[in-house]
């Protein structure tokens, strides 16, 4: 028995990849439409960056799971790395508010 089988998670990761990419695109469109409001306040800039970072982390995590022929250890290290970097960036953005 294998604790991690990427094949079992591929459909879920593919759905998360598509959803996060679509939502990330919508966030970019929303920011570009309301750019004047965002540039004026640091709080809105930080919140917009936080949304982008969080959606990008889902995108990167799903991509890491979908990499073919990689070991479970490599996938775990990639996912932990994405989680640590995302946490640090979000904490930094929230401390600047």
């Amino acid at each position: 028995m294998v604790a991690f089988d990427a094949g079992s998670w591929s459909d879920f990761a593919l759905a998360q990849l598509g959803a996060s990419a679509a939502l990330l695109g919508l966030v970019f469109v929303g920011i570009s439409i309301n750019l004047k409001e965002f540039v004026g306040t640091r709080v809105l800039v930080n919140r917009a960056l936080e949304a982008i970072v969080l959606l990008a982390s889902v995108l990167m995590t799903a991509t890491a799971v979908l990499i073919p022929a990689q070991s479970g250890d490599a996938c775990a290290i990639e996912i932990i790395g994405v989680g640590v970097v995302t946490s640090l960036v979000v904490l930094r953005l929230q401390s600047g508010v």
Side-chain angles (χ1 to χ4, degrees):
M1 178 189 272
V2 176
F4 174 75
D5 180 24
S8 301
W9 290 96
S10 64
D11 291 337
F12 179 74
L14 193 59
Q16 294 301 312
L17 184 71
S20 64
L23 290 173
L24 191 57
L26 287 174
V27 168
F28 274 116
V29 169
I31 290 171
S32 65
I33 289 173
N34 298 314
L35 194 57
K36 290 179 186 177
E37 288 82 12
F38 279 99
V39 173
T41 61
R42 184 72 180 154
V43 174
L44 290 179
V45 171
N46 283 356
R47 294 295 182 217
L49 284 173
E50 188 176 337
I52 290 171
V53 166
L54 290 172
L55 287 170
S57 71
V58 174
L59 186 85
M60 289 185 291
T61 302
T63 303
V65 171
L66 290 173
I67 295 173
Q70 81 172 335
S71 68
D73 292 338
C75 186
I77 290 169
E78 291 167 355
I79 291 172
I80 290 170
V82 169
V84 168
V85 170
T86 300
S87 298
L88 292 174
V89 170
V90 168
L91 287 173
R92 173 76 171 118
L93 288 172
Q94 288 187 354
S95 68
V97 171

